[in-house]
Amino acid sequence: MEVKEIIGWIGMLLATFWAGVHMLVAGAVAVNVFPIFGAFVGMFVALSIISGLVFLLNWKKYYLPNIIFWIIMLLLLFVGYVQYIRGGNINALFTNVLAEITLIIDIVEILLAFAIWKVDKE
C-alpha cells in the first residue's frame, strides 16, 4: 500500500467519524435551537462525507477545496465557541467532549489534506 492510499484511508475514516459526531449535533441543534441551524450542520455532514471520498478516491482536482473545507470547519468551531464564551462560559471548548473530538479531527484532517496534496505532487 502506498503512502497516498494510507493517508486516503485515514482521511476518509476520520471524515466519516466527524460526520457521525455532527449528525448528533445536527439533531440536537434542530430540536433545541432552531431547525435551520440543524440543516446547516447537516449540510456540513454531507460535505464531510464528500471530503472522505476525495481522500479515498484521490480526486486530485478537489485537494485544494478539501483543504479549504477543513480550514473553514476549524474556523467555524472557533467562531462558535467564541460566541459561546462571550455568554460567560469561558472554558466551554474544553468541557464539551464533542467539541474536543471535533477540534482534534479538524486539525488532523487539515494535516492529512496537506500531506496527500504534497505526496501526490511528487
Side-chain angles (χ1 to χ4, degrees):
M1 209 177 235
E2 291 182 31
V3 174
K4 185 170 66 170
E5 291 175 352
I6 294 170
I7 293 171
W9 274 100
I10 293 170
M12 186 272 306
L13 290 172
L14 283 175
T16 306
F17 186 71
W18 188 96
V21 168
H22 279 76
M23 283 178 143
L24 298 173
V25 173
V29 168
V31 170
N32 296 328
V33 181
F34 198 60
I36 194 74
F37 293 134
F40 190 67
V41 174
M43 178 191 67
F44 288 126
V45 168
L47 289 174
S48 175
I49 293 170
I50 293 170
S51 171
L53 289 173
V54 169
F55 275 116
L56 186 63
L57 300 175
N58 295 316
W59 290 337
K60 296 176 186 178
K61 66 180 179 179
Y62 297 114
Y63 284 164
L64 185 59
N66 199 20
I67 293 169
I68 293 169
F69 170 74
W70 287 109
I71 291 172
I72 289 171
M73 291 300 96
L74 184 64
L75 292 174
L76 284 175
L77 178 69
F78 283 131
V79 166
Y81 276 94
V82 165
Q83 294 300 324
Y84 190 67
I85 289 169
R86 285 186 182 169
N89 192 355
I90 293 180
N91 56 359
L93 181 60
F94 300 105
T95 57
N96 186 340
V97 175
L98 293 177
E100 290 175 357
I101 291 170
T102 301
L103 177 68
I104 293 168
I105 291 175
D106 284 345
I107 292 170
V108 171
E109 287 285 0
I110 290 169
L111 295 175
L112 287 173
F114 273 117
I116 200 166
W117 190 26
K118 178 78 172 154
V119 166
D120 204 36
K121 274 186 168 180
E122 295 174 357

